Amino acid sequence: FPGMLSNPRLTPLQGTLNVVMNQNVTLSCHSDSGSPPVTYTLFKHNQKVSTLSRPDLTPGLFSLTISSASDVGEYKCKAEDNISSGRKYSKSLNFTLEEQISKPVLSSPTSQAKKGQNVTLSCLSENGSLPITYLFFKGRQSISPPVKMQKREAAVIFLFINSSSDLGTYKCRAESSFRNNTKYSDGFNFTLAEEGSHSQPLIISLVLIFLLLVIGFALAIPFFIIPSYKASE
């Protein structure tokens, strides 16, 4: 006795409804019971997209490309067999369009640092679906716990420059909740400020004082020479 046609299930083979622009996806429409052959029809916004027939109870597979925002609308499928008088519909599903994360920018207010100085590093991706999780590295070793940002704001960490070994290459990684959506920044390097650079203001001050003394001496000469000249007359 042929089985009663069951309501089909519409599922994404990639396992998630989160998609990015220009992604290829496959939807499976499948009735567990019925009398083959079974004809499956896919609809988007109640408009027919495609129809295919299966000689048995294997799923009907529909391949799509998400090429615009309109492609993430409501989808559902219909199943029909040779014996059942009616047709059965699946529940609808909707894709969620994710924005690909952009390459993060790693920056600092200063690129020069002295020993014993505290510095900051900021990491920001201008594009990408929120939240975005940032992680900071020195070389290949992570130097911070993951920082999850719910807003389009930079993640910031504080560093203490204790020696020249702290001046290596720093990077950061940005990752969104969408799988395989991870980007790394370019490297950032601090340079060690000259230890003697603090003496430059002192040298400038001494030069200015010397010039002021010379000018003062030059202005004072007439006051000494003229009275002595008159006294000699």
Side-chain angles (χ1 to χ4, degrees):
F1 185 78
M4 181 71 69
L5 182 67
S6 62
N7 287 87
R9 298 189 310 275
L10 185 62
T11 56
L13 286 190
Q14 63 273 13
T16 177
L17 291 174
N18 295 330
V19 295
V20 294
M21 199 67 74
N22 298 318
Q23 180 179 345
N24 295 320
V25 298
T26 301
L27 292 178
S28 168
C29 185
H30 183 219
S31 289
D32 291 324
S33 61
S35 298
V38 180
T39 299
Y40 296 106
T41 304
L42 181 68
F43 296 87
K44 182 181 73 175
H45 297 306
N46 295 321
Q47 298 293 319
K48 185 170 74 172
V49 176
S50 182
T51 298
L52 54 84
S53 181
R54 301 298 301 168
D56 47 28
L57 291 177
T58 55
L61 302 179
F62 298 92
S63 297
L64 307 170
T65 299
I66 306 300
S67 56
S68 68
S70 63
D71 293 328
V72 297
E74 181 185 75
Y75 288 86
K76 64 172 56 177
C77 71
K78 177 183 70 175
E80 299 173 286
D81 65 7
N82 282 342
I83 297 179
S84 299
S85 57
R87 58 195 65 176
K88 298 294 179 69
Y89 287 88
S90 70
K91 293 181 180 179
S92 61
L93 59 79
N94 286 273
F95 290 108
T96 298
L97 188 61
E98 294 273 355
E99 184 183 17
Q100 280 279 21
I101 207 166
S102 61
K103 183 177 181 178
V105 175
L106 184 63
S107 61
S108 176
T110 180
S111 61
Q112 284 195 332
K114 300 176 185 178
K115 291 181 180 179
Q117 181 180 350
N118 290 304
V119 295
T120 60
L121 279 175
S122 301
C123 186
L124 176 64
S125 285
E126 292 289 349
N127 300 299
S129 296
L130 297 171
I132 296 177
T133 300
Y134 296 96
L135 192 63
F136 293 83
F137 296 85
K138 181 176 178 291
R140 295 184 178 181
Q141 183 177 0
S142 63
I143 57 172
S144 73
V147 182
K148 180 178 285 189
M149 303 299 295
Q150 302 287 347
K151 297 180 179 180
R152 190 75 60 194
E153 297 176 350
V156 179
I157 64 168
F158 299 89
L159 303 172
F160 180 70
I161 304 301
N162 189 42
S163 66
S164 57
S165 63
D166 296 322
L167 304 176
T169 300
Y170 291 86
K171 286 187 177 184
C172 70
R173 184 184 75 193
E175 182 177 13
S176 73
S177 56
F178 183 69
R179 60 179 182 177
N180 299 324
N181 198 7
T182 300
K183 295 289 179 62
Y184 286 85
S185 71
D186 290 330
F188 183 92
N189 290 77
F190 291 103
T191 57
L192 192 61
E194 293 292 336
E195 293 293 337
S197 61
H198 66 276
S199 63
Q200 291 181 356
L202 177 60
I203 295 174
I204 294 174
S205 298
L206 292 176
V207 171
L208 290 175
I209 292 172
F210 176 75
L211 290 175
L212 289 174
L213 289 175
V214 171
I215 293 172
F217 181 73
L219 293 174
I221 287 176
F223 294 97
F224 289 101
I225 293 178
I226 293 175
S228 61
Y229 175 77
K230 289 183 177 180
S232 63
E233 289 181 344

